[in-house]
Structures are given as C-alpha cells and as structure tokens.
Amino acid sequence: MTTSHPVPAAEDLPNGHPWWRDAVVYQVYVRSFADSDGDGIGDLPGLYRRLPVVARLGVDAIWLNPIYPSPQADAGYDVADYCDVDPLFGTLADARAVVERAHQLGLRVIMDVVPNHTSDQHPWFLAARAAAPDSRERQRYFFRQGQGDHGELPPNNWQSVFGGSAWSRLPDGWWYLHLFAPEQPDLNWADPGVPDAFTRILRFWLDLGVDGFRVDVAHGLAKDPLLPDLDETQRPLSGQHPYWDRDEVHDIYRHWRKILDEYPGQRTAVLEAWVTGGDRLGRYLRGDELHTAFNFAFLQAAWNAKDMRAVIEHTLEGLAWIGAPATWVLSNHDVVRHPTRYGGGQLGQQRARAAALLMLALPGGAYIYQGEELGLEEVTDLPDHLRQDPAFARSGGKQVGRDGCRVPLPWSGERPPYGFGPPGSHPWLPQPAAWATRSVEAQERQPDSMLALYRAALAARRAAGLGDGPLSWLDTPEGMLAFRRTPSLACAVNFTDEPLALPLVLVDQPVLLTSSGHPDAGWLPPNSATWYGTAP
Ligand code: NOJ
C-alpha cells in the first residue's frame, strides 16, 4: 500500500509554510540502492521501481548523490558533464521519470551539485591541459609553476582531503590544484565563465523539475587568489582561511538564491559546509542566501546527554539570529554508520533507535541515509582489493575510507544480492551474510524492527506537526535529556546504561512511541527514547 500525498504547489502549502524548513529527506546513494540491470551497480530504473517503498517510509523528499557522467574516480563526485546522466545509472529520460514518479508519490527531489571541482575528464579540463600556460582555458582552474630550482616542488603546502599534496604536476611541468583526488581539479570561481556555467547547470535541472540541490563542498569554492601557504595555526573560522569558508563564497550563494527564487514551488538548497562554531554556518543561511545546511556537529557528537544537549543548544542558538531551521543528520555516505559509531552490536542498535526518535523530535528538518531505517551497520571487513574510495589508496591504507557505509541495500531474500539486483548478480561491494535478517522484506514481518520504528516515528511526526517550532527543556536526572515540542508532545532520551527515573511531569503521560519496547511506568530504560503525548 502506498501513502500518496502528491507534492502540493507552493501556494497550497498550509499558511505558505516553506516545505524545506522541516522536511525529512531520504538520501539515495544511487549506486547502492537498487540495481535493475544486474551489473552490480544501482541505477535510476531500480530507484524508480522502489520509490513507493521510500514514499511508504513517510519522508518528504529524496536527495540523489551524483548521477552525472563521470569516470567515477570519487563515486561520481568527479563530474564530466553536469547536464546528463552516466550510462551506469541510466539516461536523462530515466532521471525525468524518477522526478515525475517521485512527485506523484508526494516526494520532492534534490540533486547533488558539485561546483568545487570537475572531473579531470571534463571537456574544460581536457582543453586546459592542452592549452598554453596563460590561456583562457587554464583560467578556469588553478595552474601554477612549482617551487624549487626546477619547479619540482608543489606551489604551496596545501594538502588534499584524501591525503598527499593538493597539487599534481602535468608533463609540461605545470601544477594544478585539487583539494580532493587528482582526478578532481578545483575550479576557479573568480573566472566569470565558471559562475555562468553553473547558472546554466542549475537552470537545466530546475527546468527538468527538480526541487532543489545539495551543494557539495559549499564552503570551499572561494580561494585566496594568492594561494598562500596554509598556516596550520589559523582557524577556519576567521573568513581568511586560504580555501575554507572564505567570505567571498557568499556572493555565489546570493546569486544562486535569485535563480532558485525565479522558479515556482519553493526550490531549495542544502549546503554541505563543514564549518562549525560561532555564527559561521548561519551566514550561509541569511535571508538572501541559501536555505539549509547539514548540521554535522550533531553527527559528530558522542553518545552522552551532556554533549548532545550542548550540540542541540548551540545549533538552535547559532541559527536563531538568522531565523533558519536546523537540519539534523546522523549518517551519510562519508561517515561510519551511526549504529557502529554508537558501539555496534545490540548496544549500537538500541542507541540508534533512540537517536532516531531524538532526531525526528528536534525542531527543523532531518536527513535519513539509506539503510539507516534498516539499522545497517558499517561493513568493516571489506577486502582491501575491493575498496574503491580514493581516500584508501591515496593514504596508503591509513584511512580505511568510506566504502563500509556504501554497501548495497538488502531488500529481500536469504542470500546476496538480497534483491538489490537480479538473482545471481554481484553487487559492487559484497553484502554481509547477517543482512538476511536486515532486509526490508524481513523487517516488514517484524513489528518491532528498525524499519517499523522509523515508519511509526515519521507518521507520528507528521500527525503531530513536529518540525519547525520551539523546544523547551524539562528538568531531568543526569544522563537524560527531555524536552517538550508541542503542548501535547515530549521526548525523553536516556543516554546511560541504567534505567533512569522520569521527570514527574512525564510520569503519567501516555506513551506515543518508544524505542525500547519495554516502557516501565515512571522509568526510562537504558539507551532508549520515548515520545510522550497523544497524536492529534
Ligand atoms: C563531499 C562528498 O560528500 C564526498 O563524498 C566527496 O568525496 C567530496 N565532497 C568531494 O566531492
């Protein structure tokens, strides 16, 4: 059975309330979601067929990781053509079909846009490589001569996020900048051709009907034109770091906001901006800039009441001055899955269940990374020769990389590929044997499964009108957090390994939803969360 609540036109939204302020967005890592043709890699037709399952989860939107033509040196974050679809994933017609089907099912669609760098196989970079040192073509990137007697040393000390120097040398002796892999040369946003091209790219997808963008490395687009050495003592918070979170980057987003606003239906953007502290993140969300930004401090917080409360308060206060909503996220394709971060095994599952109820009760929007609703853990025993994350190879294996959170989803059946692809197909990363009990099919048979909890929480969140709005803390014993969201709904979380006595105000409240399955009157079980109140 499919829950159908087709995407309303902006003018039909209750009180004109912007949908993006408290949307729950499901992140689809396309290559690991559903494989329709048996090549081991998820694709758009696979996603199309499974969209009703996403709609039934009760989310508001999907975010697709990059599907553009790409040599896949960094799983599609090395884009060779921003206005097409990689044959690995399907065609432009498939993308259009996914957007239309999603809309019919009441889901909005957010595309990943990758403006900090292109692929080294993008026509621009191929032309730049072939062109003369001071050519127009090379202006679109950062080409410099090296240091040392023969230019044999990189132009500065910047390091790639994936390890090693951020510079690579071409056969003609010139160096080019890549803050990520060598296959991802950084674009020079000070060259007018670059912003112009992205204006066209955004319009291309907006015209196709997408509802917004997730902006990759949003804090990295502006570079100090002098490319000075990085002084390690300089904090990125100053606005003067040579490449992260520079003040000029905001001009780009002011321009993008105007483009988004030209389109009907409240088109939106969510920024991947790894900036924390002070008001730096809020600056991206000023009224004339973009809409939301991932709150990575929440994802990085340890499982204890003190740290979680500090992060929640800091986030809400940091955004209050700007009137922007918070965006909560526990996992994504770049980090170790949270049940593993929270201790793994049974303990990790309990805490992940509690974390889900915490996240979905907080004010603002939330992102669910595919498989989190199944309680999937990080796969830690992948054979090295199958690892594909460039971070693994570039760091000489020191960074294990991100493949462990990208293993294809289990949908059904007793053995791999668990319905991810046709029987007998081999997913691009091997799925653990234990995933037979984690499949969607298996969890649909278990009333107390993680999937059942997510569905119940999302339904209750919708019914109670959770999302945007105030939060007021309740007095709690050490190790517990409790807060009221609406007059009739409160959430309490026990972060400790012991049962804790509930605050008196909650003792007689009806239990709406609990992560533990064993609510004891007056007590909150260890590592659990409960919603108290009544659904309207
Ligand atoms: C952030 C993306 O989430 C990550 O997967 C990618 O490797 C880098 N940006 C570089 O594009």
Side-chain angles (χ1 to χ4, degrees), residues 37-366:
D37 57 9
D39 66 356
I41 296 179
D43 48 42
L44 292 174
L47 167 59
Y48 182 96
R49 283 183 217 155
R50 300 285 194 186
L51 271 176
V53 185
V54 181
R56 191 155 80 235
L57 188 58
V59 296
D60 303 292
I62 54 174
W63 149 36
L64 307 188
N65 286 99
I67 54 171
Y68 311 106
S70 161
Q72 306 291 329
D74 181 21
Y77 283 96
D78 47 322
V79 179
D81 178 354
Y82 289 84
C83 296
D84 206 347
V85 170
D86 195 301
L88 260 187
F89 302 126
T91 63
L92 209 45
D94 293 331
R96 201 171 278 116
V98 163
V99 172
E100 281 168 12
R101 181 77 179 118
H103 286 171
Q104 285 164 3
L105 292 166
L107 299 168
R108 288 183 160 85
V109 181
I110 294 175
M111 294 286 288
D112 221 309
V113 65
V114 188
N116 180 66
H117 42 262
T118 66
S119 160
D120 65 347
Q121 299 304 307
H122 190 286
W124 277 3
F125 193 74
L126 294 175
R129 280 185 71 121
D134 54 358
S135 59
R136 170 87 196 71
E137 286 80 358
R138 288 202 172 185
Q139 289 303 315
R140 294 197 189 105
Y141 297 90
F142 294 94
F143 284 84
R144 293 291 185 276
Q145 284 194 301
Q147 304 185 78
D149 290 346
H150 309 285
E152 72 281 10
L153 299 172
N156 68 22
N157 69 355
W158 298 3
Q159 294 292 299
S160 152
V161 172
F162 293 151
S165 171
W167 295 89
S168 287
R169 200 173 191 195
L170 292 175
D172 68 3
W174 284 68
W175 297 75
Y176 69 91
L177 175 69
H178 52 84
L179 288 178
F180 293 88
E183 296 88 351
Q184 294 167 297
D186 278 57
L187 283 166
N188 173 15
W189 273 79
D191 180 82
V194 173
D196 286 357
F198 275 87
T199 298
R200 289 193 293 277
I201 291 162
L202 297 185
R203 286 190 196 287
F204 177 86
W205 291 101
L206 292 166
D207 289 338
L208 187 137
V210 307
D211 300 279
F213 299 97
R214 176 264 188 193
V215 185
D216 189 59
V217 198
H219 57 312
L221 275 49
K223 272 81 181 184
D224 184 331
L226 299 176
L227 307 185
D229 271 347
L230 175 63
D231 169 1
E232 291 295 350
T233 61
Q234 189 166 30
R235 305 275 325 273
L237 289 180
S238 63
Q240 299 302 318
H241 187 279
Y243 47 90
W244 293 143
D245 190 30
R246 289 179 65 78
D247 291 338
E248 307 92 274
V249 83
H250 296 282
D251 295 339
I252 299 169
Y253 301 128
R254 285 196 190 93
H255 177 60
W256 284 21
R257 179 59 181 258
K258 288 196 190 105
I259 300 170
L260 292 167
D261 283 351
E262 282 171 25
Y263 285 80
Q266 300 180 342
R267 313 291 170 107
T268 191
V270 56
L271 298 163
E272 187 221 18
W274 288 88
V275 296
T276 48
D279 65 353
R280 298 301 303 183
L281 193 62
R283 291 160 62 91
Y284 290 77
L285 310 176
R286 290 175 285 199
D288 59 346
E289 294 194 44
L290 292 177
H291 305 75
T292 54
F294 295 115
N295 169 17
F296 292 123
F298 183 63
L299 170 158
Q300 289 165 325
W303 182 256
N304 69 67
K306 195 160 152 277
D307 287 8
M308 281 288 188
R309 179 159 175 168
V311 164
I312 294 166
E313 283 180 339
H314 186 77
T315 302
L316 297 176
E317 283 161 15
L319 297 175
W321 67 280
I322 211 80
T327 297
W328 309 98
V329 53
L330 290 166
S331 278
N332 66 32
H333 65 292
D334 288 332
V335 299
V336 172
R337 282 186 177 273
H338 61 273
T340 307
R341 292 201 317 267
Y342 290 155
Q346 197 51 34
L347 179 65
Q349 291 297 314
Q350 283 171 6
R351 290 176 171 174
R353 292 171 67 88
L357 291 196
L358 169 64
M359 174 172 84
L360 294 172
L362 289 171

